[in-house]
Amino acid sequence: MFTEDLIPVASGPPPVELYLASTAGPPDRTLLVLHGGPDWDHSYLREPLDRLAGTHRLLMPDLRGCGRSTRGLPDDQYTPDAAVSDLVTLLERTTDATPVDVLGFSYGGLLAQLLALTAPDRVRRLIIASSSVLPPPPGGAGPRFPDDPALTGPALTRAAAFAGAEQDVWSADRRAEYRARLERVRFSAEWLRALRAGRLPSPRVPDAAHRLAALGTPLLLLHGAHDRTFPAGLVADTLPLIPGARGVVLPRAAHMAHIDQPEPWLAAVAQFLESS
């Protein structure tokens, strides 16, 4: 179902290629999906989005430094602006001038906002899933890195993902399937290295709500009610600031709402994509 390619997006030095998994579908119904982490890959988001294949064309890249995309870049080349520049080039090389729909998950939701504001002519609709426009309150839950000096690099990122399973998946009977999905993720630690070196700028857009409201791009905030990374109350706080924005908060779902509630989650995505 998925075609796999390496797409050159930056000439460097060093040159950067993004690994891209894509499906067939109408070019004017393209959905670009941006994963979180950022030291994960896109694979944990394939299901249930793969059910849209055919009616939509799916583009699911791994960000620079992630998955099967180019790794080993200098720390100062892991920035939100560089990632968004890659994505703009990716769209130039894989689509025509028709705007695409964008779904950004977690950290990818922050990049999706930056992409929409950087290249507004390329983004038709915007879905911010398990992420936020407004900053979360101080002291919120984030990745939990095990206090084990023997764990470094991708092994540390992987361990943190598994350690967060009970927090990130609300339904106990869905966690085994989630852990099986994590086993397939090609974790890296490129962005973590940049973060710990103090070279990773914030992905948050200053005054994002006001700027997205002025942009007028149709927006869906899709959330799990029990998300501890980006609390669901941020949805209610954001909607009055962006006229016309929609919010869907799924009960019995946490940060990985697409794992907890795959059918309602996908239905919310599909319904929004069909909207005018």
Side-chain angles (χ1 to χ4, degrees):
M1 180 183 295
F2 282 93
T3 299
E4 301 178 347
D5 296 287
L6 284 173
I7 308 297
V9 293
S11 58
V16 177
E17 295 179 321
L18 295 190
Y19 171 85
L20 177 67
S22 62
T23 71
D28 61 347
R29 293 164 65 88
T30 297
L31 176 63
L32 173 67
V33 180
L34 307 182
H35 66 81
D39 282 320
W40 295 38
D41 64 20
H42 77 279
S43 62
Y44 71 105
L45 293 170
R46 282 198 184 190
E47 302 171 16
L49 287 170
D50 56 358
R51 302 179 202 174
L52 296 175
T55 58
H56 294 77
R57 182 187 181 208
L58 300 179
L59 301 179
M60 305 186 79
D62 294 343
L63 301 174
R64 60 167 55 201
C66 302
R68 284 177 271 184
S69 293
T70 299
R71 300 193 191 188
L73 300 171
D75 289 349
D76 61 4
Q77 292 192 29
Y78 293 113
T79 68
D81 285 342
V84 166
S85 178
D86 290 346
L87 295 168
V88 171
T89 303
L90 177 76
L91 291 176
E92 290 174 351
R93 297 191 172 183
T94 59
T95 68
D96 56 21
T98 303
V100 303
D101 300 319
V102 178
L103 185 154
F105 187 93
S106 194
Y107 190 91
L110 304 176
L111 295 181
Q113 296 169 59
L114 183 58
L115 174 62
L117 291 166
T118 300
D121 58 319
R122 301 311 311 262
V123 179
R124 176 172 47 198
R125 301 181 188 88
L126 182 61
I127 302 172
I128 300 174
S130 296
S131 187
S132 69
V133 173
L134 299 177
R144 296 181 295 179
F145 292 98
D147 187 16
D148 183 350
L151 289 173
T152 61
L156 179 58
T157 310
R158 175 181 295 274
F162 276 89
E166 292 190 7
Q167 169 185 293
D168 292 339
V169 178
W170 186 83
S171 303
D173 60 354
R174 303 288 299 178
R175 290 177 190 148
E177 190 273 337
Y178 176 58
R179 291 187 179 98
R181 199 175 296 201
L182 290 180
E183 291 285 359
R184 299 191 292 270
V185 173
R186 291 173 170 83
F187 291 99
S188 69
E190 305 283 291
W191 290 73
L192 177 61
R193 190 182 68 243
L195 174 64
R196 291 184 164 177
R199 296 181 177 177
L200 181 58
S202 171
R204 288 207 166 272
V205 177
D207 200 17
H210 175 76
R211 294 176 65 185
L212 289 171
L215 192 63
T217 301
L219 172 65
L220 171 66
L221 304 175
L222 179 55
H223 228 79
H226 303 280
D227 194 325
R228 293 175 57 193
T229 305
F230 296 94
L234 292 168
V235 174
D237 293 341
T238 302
L239 291 177
L241 304 176
I242 307 178
R246 306 180 190 184
V248 174
V249 177
L250 298 175
R252 302 182 300 282
H255 187 60
M256 298 292 171
H258 67 297
I259 303 288
D260 278 315
Q261 298 283 350
E263 287 77 17
W265 189 88
L266 184 64
V269 170
Q271 183 177 20
F272 179 72
L273 294 179
E274 296 301 324
S275 63
S276 58

